[in-house]
């Protein structure tokens, strides 16, 4: 199998999560992370001078979500309460520890700036001359240019993952009249580091998102005056940020209302040293801090790799991204973008996104066609402005989990996946399955865990066959139910019933006593269910003897047909016991289907045996667990000496259907 070489641009939290996922044994990938700085961590690297182009955190910043939620799935914050809101230095140390724990530095090229990536996925990058000896050892590398300070190389990859973040290109509104006529300084929150620099100053903060409100809260106790300029429609956002700051223990700007802190509408215009607001008030500030967010920029992407530049520059969003992750012009998933949505939980989300990218690249998941992806993108009800990437984190994550759970499309004879214990198996080419091909088809695209365990008493023995077909794991909420109802109450009731009715035994005594009352069919039936001996091989041998030698029938045929019945009882087109037409039409659905095809079919309901009452014959419902299917398709018959003898105790159908569960 080809080993995919992946270029990851950026070693922030998203880029590192991507490198961790791609370098795992689950995927046949070789990541290379390009980082233009001499450090990892992206925006979480604290630069006290505020001069870094790529870092934006300030000294007293705390996370706005608890670290137990923020952390990577396989690496908890050390020595921190999961409910704690931690500082930027703690996060920076955490990211470094994460990279060291998973030995990610071997994939990272520091001080390496990506200049361009062309349509052949050839990456051109520049490194300082003192790094030449280290970089030149790369096998796929080609020298492009060298001068006294820098060396430029090119290198071709199989796929590109853009993880350069969106907290670098500062956004300052350009529609404020007189903005560039001001005589006082203007700055972006990107350069803000600590409040002491603004002591006794009159500061206007523009923007009511987290940075704007938090910076106002830091300045209010020491500044001469702090004025927060915000839009009326952002009031709910402002209140939400205050609540977050309150939870993480930070001082609030509202504590200083009417003293040093006030709120005003947006700026109407600027006239040299004076700022006028939309409520007709004005003030002469010492400076303005714009906490107005950032732009998305990927200047290194060339040609067809570029996103729509008009939408990027004018409307401030990235198009066309399928699931806000894959460039739709590359349906093989070879161009992807991490952590584009905002107001998210970035660390775990980047992990999930990386798993999806890796699965697509390794052929474990497939994307729609280019046209289908474009149609899906264009049919989304999203604002065509800066809010395009503002997502509901829970809904978005669940949507990604569904992509990884989406084996339902692999449900045909030529594309057949099944799930056993949250592991996915591609059994399309399993031509020698002992139970036959048909029973595999019944659970294609579905979770077959309960059914597999019911049919295979020695599960450890058969697991060695599963390994050949293993292709990946389901990732998501382990507690999420995959069926309509909770089985536990039903199973508890059944266990009580089982204890009252009988105790399981594998001794010969019950069979010596009852053999006089069993007909040959009943004997072979119990051997066929592997319910006489502990060893399956002995059951199989006696089953073949009684059915093959005594009754002159086929044990393999019986297994093929009868196990289909127990796998999907009373499921139309999957349980062969429902296919007794044209003599009988069972249930309600089959007669209606036949009547649509041929009006001569009427509706006839039959009870062929007392031990197989047709309670409901319907189409397969994958949301019902195997346990529930057994109960839905049968019922018990009143106990009597005649019934017990005549049916061989198969009048206890509930116990019979559930015996191996």
């Amino acid at each position: 199998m080809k080993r995919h070489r992946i270029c990851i641009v950026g070693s922030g939290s998203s880029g590192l999560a991507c490198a961790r996922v791609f370098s795992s044994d689950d995927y046949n990938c070789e990541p290379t992370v390009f980082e233009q700085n001499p450090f990892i961590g992206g925006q979480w690297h604290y630069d006290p001078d505020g001069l870094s182009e790529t870092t934006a955190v300030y000294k007293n910043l705390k996370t706005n979500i608890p670290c137990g939620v923020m952390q990577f799935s396989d690496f908890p914050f050390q020595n921190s309460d999961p409910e704690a809101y931690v500082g930027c230095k703690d996060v920076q140390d955490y990211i470094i520890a994460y990279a060291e724990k998973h030995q990610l530095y071997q994939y990272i090229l520091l001080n390496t700036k990506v200049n361009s990536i062309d349509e052949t996925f050839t990456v051109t990058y520049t490194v300082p001359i003192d790094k030449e000896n280290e970089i030149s050892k790369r096998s796929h590398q080609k020298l492009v240019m060298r001068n006294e300070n820098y060396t430029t190389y090119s290198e071709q990859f199989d796929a590109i993952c853009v993880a350069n973040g969106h907290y670098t290109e500062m956004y300052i509104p350009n529609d404020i009249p007189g903005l560039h006529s001001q005589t006082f300084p203007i700055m972006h929150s990107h350069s803000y580091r600590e409040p002491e620099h603004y002591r006794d100053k009159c500061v206007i903060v523009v923007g009511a998102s987290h940075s704007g409100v938090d910076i106002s809260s830091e300045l209010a106790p020491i500044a001469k005056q702090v004025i927060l300029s915000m839009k009326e429609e952002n009031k709910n956002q402002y209140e939400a940020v205050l609540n977050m700051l309150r939870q993480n223990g930070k001082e609030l700007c509202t504590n200083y209302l009417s003293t040093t802190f006030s709120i005003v509408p947006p700026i109407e215009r600027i006239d040299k040293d004076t700022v006028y607001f939309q409520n007709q008030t004005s003030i002469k500030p010492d400076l303005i801090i714009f906490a107005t967010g950032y732009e998305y920029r990927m200047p290194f992407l060339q040609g067809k790799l570029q996103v729509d530049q008009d939408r990027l520059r004018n409307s401030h969003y990235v198009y066309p991204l399928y699931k806000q992750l894959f460039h739709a012009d590359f349906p093989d998933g070879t161009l992807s973008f991490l952590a584009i949505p905002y107001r998210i939980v970035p660390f775990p989300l980047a992990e999930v996104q990386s798993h999806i990218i890796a699965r697509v690249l390794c052929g474990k998941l497939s994307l729609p066609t280019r046209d289908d992806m474009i149609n899906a993108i264009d049919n989304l009800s999203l604002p065509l402005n800066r809010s395009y990437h503002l997502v509901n984190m829970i809904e978005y994550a669940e949507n990604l989990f569904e992509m990884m759970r989406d084996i339902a499309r692999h449900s045909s004879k030529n594309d057949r996946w099944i799930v056993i214990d949250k592991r996915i198996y591609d059994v399309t080419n399993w031509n020698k399955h002992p139970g036959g091909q048909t029973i595999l088809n019944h659970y294609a695209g579905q979770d077959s865990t309960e059914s597999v365990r019911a049919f295979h008493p020695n599960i450890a023995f058969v697991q060695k066959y599963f390994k050949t077909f293993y292709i990946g794991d389901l990732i998501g909420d382990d507690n999420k139910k995959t069926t309509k109802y909770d089985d536990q109450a039903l199973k508890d009731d059944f266990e009580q019933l089982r204890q009252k009715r009988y105790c399981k035994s594998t001794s010969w005594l019950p069979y010596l006593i009852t053999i006089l009352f069993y007909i040959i069919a009943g004997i072979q039936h119990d051997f066929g269910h592997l319910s006489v001996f502990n060893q399956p091989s002995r059951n199989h041998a006696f089953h073949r003897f009684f059915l093959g030698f005594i009754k002159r029938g086929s044990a393999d045929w019986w297994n093929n047909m009868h196990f289909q019945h127990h796998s999907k009882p009373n499921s139309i087109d999957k349980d062969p016991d429902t296919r007794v037409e044209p003599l009988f039409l069972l249930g309600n659905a089959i007669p209606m289907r036949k009547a649509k095809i041929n009006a001569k079919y009427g509706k006839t309901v039959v009870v062929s045996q007392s031990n197989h009452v047709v309670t409901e014959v319907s189409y397969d419902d994958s949301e019902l667990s195997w346990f529930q299917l057994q109960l839905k398709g049968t019922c018990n018959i009143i106990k009597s000496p005649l019934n017990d003898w005549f049916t061989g105790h198969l009048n206890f159908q509930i116990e019979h259907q559930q015996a191996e569960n």
Side-chain angles (χ1 to χ4, degrees):
M1 181 183 294
K2 177 182 178 181
R3 185 168 177 82
H4 294 82
R5 300 183 66 251
I6 315 297
C7 162
I8 303 171
V9 183
S11 69
S13 59
S14 298
L16 294 176
C18 191
R20 160 63 179 149
V21 170
F22 279 22
S23 62
S24 69
D25 294 336
D26 295 332
Y27 308 110
N28 196 33
C29 294
E30 178 186 335
T32 298
V33 183
F34 291 92
E35 174 53 60
Q36 65 179 329
N37 292 304
F39 51 80
I40 66 171
Q43 62 166 314
W44 290 105
H45 176 85
Y46 176 63
D47 167 33
D49 298 324
L51 301 177
S52 171
E53 295 181 3
T54 59
T55 63
V57 294
Y58 41 93
K59 183 177 181 179
N60 299 322
L61 182 143
K62 285 189 175 183
T63 59
N64 55 11
I65 50 177
C67 63
V69 176
M70 183 177 182
Q71 65 196 13
F72 293 114
S73 63
D74 61 350
F75 192 72
F77 272 82
Q78 302 298 312
N79 305 318
S80 294
D81 186 331
E83 299 298 320
Y85 297 81
V86 297
C88 61
K89 183 64 167 61
D90 296 319
V91 179
Q92 180 182 359
D93 292 343
Y94 170 80
I95 291 175
I96 293 172
Y98 175 80
E100 293 173 345
K101 166 72 175 179
H102 296 301
Q103 302 178 353
L104 299 182
Y105 279 102
Q106 62 183 307
Y107 308 112
I108 302 172
L109 302 179
L110 296 174
N111 285 305
T112 306
K113 182 177 177 62
V114 173
N115 301 322
S116 65
I117 306 176
D118 67 19
E119 297 174 9
T120 66
F121 293 156
T122 296
V123 179
T124 303
Y125 54 93
T126 300
V127 296
I129 200 69
D130 60 355
K131 290 289 182 179
E132 178 183 350
N133 293 333
E134 176 184 344
I135 300 296
S136 63
K137 297 177 183 179
R138 295 179 59 80
S139 58
H140 295 80
Q141 186 183 73
K142 294 181 180 179
L143 177 64
V144 175
M145 184 185 70
R146 177 186 289 118
N147 60 30
E148 61 181 7
N149 297 316
Y150 296 95
T151 304
T152 301
Y153 298 98
S154 69
E155 193 169 337
Q156 190 171 30
F157 291 85
D158 298 310
I160 307 296
C161 184
V162 179
N164 66 331
H166 43 86
Y167 295 98
T168 300
E169 188 78 15
M170 296 169 282
Y171 170 73
I172 295 179
N174 59 8
D175 58 351
I176 300 176
L179 175 63
H180 300 294
S181 72
Q182 91 286 345
T183 58
F184 48 82
I186 63 171
M187 60 177 286
H188 192 275
S189 58
H190 181 277
S191 302
Y192 173 84
R193 288 299 177 267
E194 54 182 302
E196 189 60 36
H197 296 308
Y198 310 94
R199 179 175 292 276
D200 299 325
K201 293 184 180 295
C202 177
V203 183
I204 297 175
V205 178
V206 179
S209 192
H210 188 92
S211 295
V213 180
D214 193 15
I215 290 173
S216 297
S217 297
E218 289 195 359
L219 296 177
I222 65 173
K224 178 181 179 181
Q225 189 172 6
V226 178
I227 301 166
L228 178 63
S229 172
M230 58 178 279
K231 298 176 181 178
E232 177 65 26
E233 58 263 32
N234 291 338
K235 186 175 180 180
N236 289 339
Q237 173 184 290
Y238 165 75
E239 295 292 343
V241 173
L242 285 176
N243 187 51
M244 282 188 273
L245 294 175
R246 188 178 294 110
Q247 289 177 352
N248 67 26
K250 295 202 72 174
E251 190 167 23
L252 304 181
C253 52
T254 50
N255 295 341
Y256 298 88
L257 276 172
S258 303
T259 55
T260 59
F261 175 72
S262 59
I263 301 174
V264 298
I267 297 173
E268 182 180 77
R269 61 188 174 90
I270 299 175
D271 186 5
K272 297 181 180 179
D273 64 346
T274 306
V275 176
Y276 296 87
F277 301 101
Q278 292 179 3
N279 63 352
Q280 307 304 312
T281 61
S282 64
I283 195 169
K284 294 182 178 182
D286 291 306
L287 77 155
I288 297 179
I289 299 177
F290 283 94
T292 44
Y294 297 84
E295 298 277 25
Y296 295 92
R297 290 291 183 265
M298 306 91 178
F300 42 82
L301 296 179
Q302 304 296 313
K304 293 182 180 179
L305 274 63
Q306 289 186 334
V307 296
D308 189 307
Q309 293 301 298
D310 287 339
R311 303 186 198 226
L312 188 66
R313 295 286 180 181
N314 300 326
S315 301
H316 316 288
Y317 68 93
V318 186
Y319 178 94
L321 294 191
Y322 180 69
K323 304 294 185 183
Q324 305 225 17
L325 181 57
F326 293 102
H327 195 304
D329 288 340
F330 297 84
D332 55 359
T334 49
L335 180 56
S336 56
F337 299 77
L338 282 174
I340 290 293
Y342 63 95
R343 292 190 195 162
I344 56 171
V345 186
F347 291 22
L349 181 61
E351 281 187 286
V352 176
Q353 290 182 322
S354 299
H355 276 289
I356 292 177
I357 296 168
R359 291 181 183 211
V360 171
L361 293 176
C362 295
K364 297 178 180 181
L365 281 177
S366 58
L367 295 177
T369 65
R370 188 263 182 194
D371 289 343
D372 286 344
M373 285 195 284
I374 292 294
N375 287 335
I377 296 168
D378 290 343
N379 287 327
L380 293 172
S381 299
L382 295 176
L384 303 182
N385 54 37
R386 296 177 60 82
S387 297
Y388 185 90
H389 299 297
L390 175 59
V391 302
N392 181 303
M393 173 66 187
I394 296 176
E395 293 179 0
Y396 179 65
E398 287 181 346
N399 188 269
L400 295 182
F401 288 142
E402 287 304 317
M403 284 187 69
M404 288 189 283
R405 294 191 190 100
D406 187 12
I407 67 163
R409 66 180 122 180
H410 303 280
S411 58
S412 66
K413 183 183 295 186
N414 298 321
D415 185 12
R416 184 171 54 199
W417 291 9
I418 62 174
V419 175
I420 305 171
D421 291 325
K422 296 188 179 297
R423 295 169 73 85
I424 305 173
Y425 300 89
D426 184 351
V427 295
T428 306
N429 298 316
W430 194 359
N431 298 320
K432 296 183 179 180
H433 178 250
Q437 296 292 297
T438 306
I439 197 168
L440 290 178
N441 292 338
H442 289 350
Y443 275 94
Q446 299 180 18
D447 190 315
S448 62
T449 304
E450 292 182 271
S451 180
V452 167
R453 290 188 173 276
F455 288 125
H456 303 89
N458 188 354
I459 193 68
F461 175 76
V462 298
Q463 280 177 337
K464 66 180 182 180
Y465 295 101
F466 298 160
K467 294 179 181 179
T468 306
F469 307 103
Y470 170 73
I471 59 174
D473 295 337
L474 285 177
I475 295 180
D477 184 358
D478 291 339
N479 297 318
K480 183 174 180 179
K481 297 176 183 177
T482 57
T483 55
K484 289 181 180 177
Y485 311 107
D486 187 354
D487 286 349
Q488 195 55 52
L490 290 172
K491 291 180 178 179
D492 291 344
D493 289 345
F494 171 70
E495 184 58 32
Q496 294 179 11
L497 178 64
R498 191 203 316 251
Q499 295 299 328
K500 291 180 181 179
R501 290 292 187 181
Y502 67 94
C503 59
K504 187 174 181 179
S505 172
T506 56
S507 76
W508 270 102
L509 184 59
Y511 290 91
L512 289 175
I513 295 173
T514 60
I515 196 168
L516 296 176
F517 305 102
Y518 271 96
I519 59 175
I520 295 299
I523 296 175
Q524 68 86 20
H525 178 274
D526 286 357
F527 283 121
H529 273 285
L530 313 180
S531 59
V532 181
F533 301 108
N534 282 328
Q535 299 90 342
S537 58
R538 296 178 67 183
N539 284 299
H540 284 308
F542 276 85
H543 185 227
R544 290 190 175 92
F545 173 77
F546 279 103
L547 186 57
F549 184 76
I550 302 296
K551 294 189 67 177
R552 310 293 291 175
S554 169
D556 289 338
W557 172 87
W558 187 92
N559 283 337
N560 183 282
M561 300 296 286
H562 199 65
F563 285 173
Q564 287 185 60
H565 160 68
H566 278 279
S567 173
K568 292 287 186 177
N570 287 7
S571 295
I572 297 173
D573 297 329
K574 292 192 174 183
D575 180 0
D577 286 9
T578 66
R579 298 195 292 268
V580 292
E581 52 202 53
L583 183 61
F584 299 111
L585 301 179
L586 305 181
N588 295 316
I590 292 179
M592 294 298 294
R593 182 173 69 171
K594 286 297 182 182
K596 292 179 180 179
I597 299 173
N598 192 327
K600 74 179 183 180
Y601 282 105
K603 178 180 177 182
T604 306
V605 180
V606 62
V607 177
S608 60
Q609 296 173 242
S610 63
N611 57 306
H612 273 285
V613 174
V614 182
T615 57
E616 182 176 351
V617 178
S618 58
Y619 292 96
D620 182 25
D621 186 349
S622 62
E623 293 187 3
L624 288 177
S625 70
W626 183 83
F627 186 95
Q628 295 153 6
L629 280 174
Q630 312 307 305
L631 294 181
K632 178 184 176 185
T634 192
C635 64
N636 279 1
I637 306 301
I638 296 174
K639 174 180 173 60
S640 71
L642 177 62
N643 257 339
D644 292 352
W645 172 82
F646 181 74
T647 65
H649 288 94
L650 285 178
N651 50 327
F652 297 111
Q653 270 295 295
I654 293 178
E655 290 85 344
H656 173 62
Q657 297 289 111
Q658 301 289 350
E660 300 301 329
N661 187 40

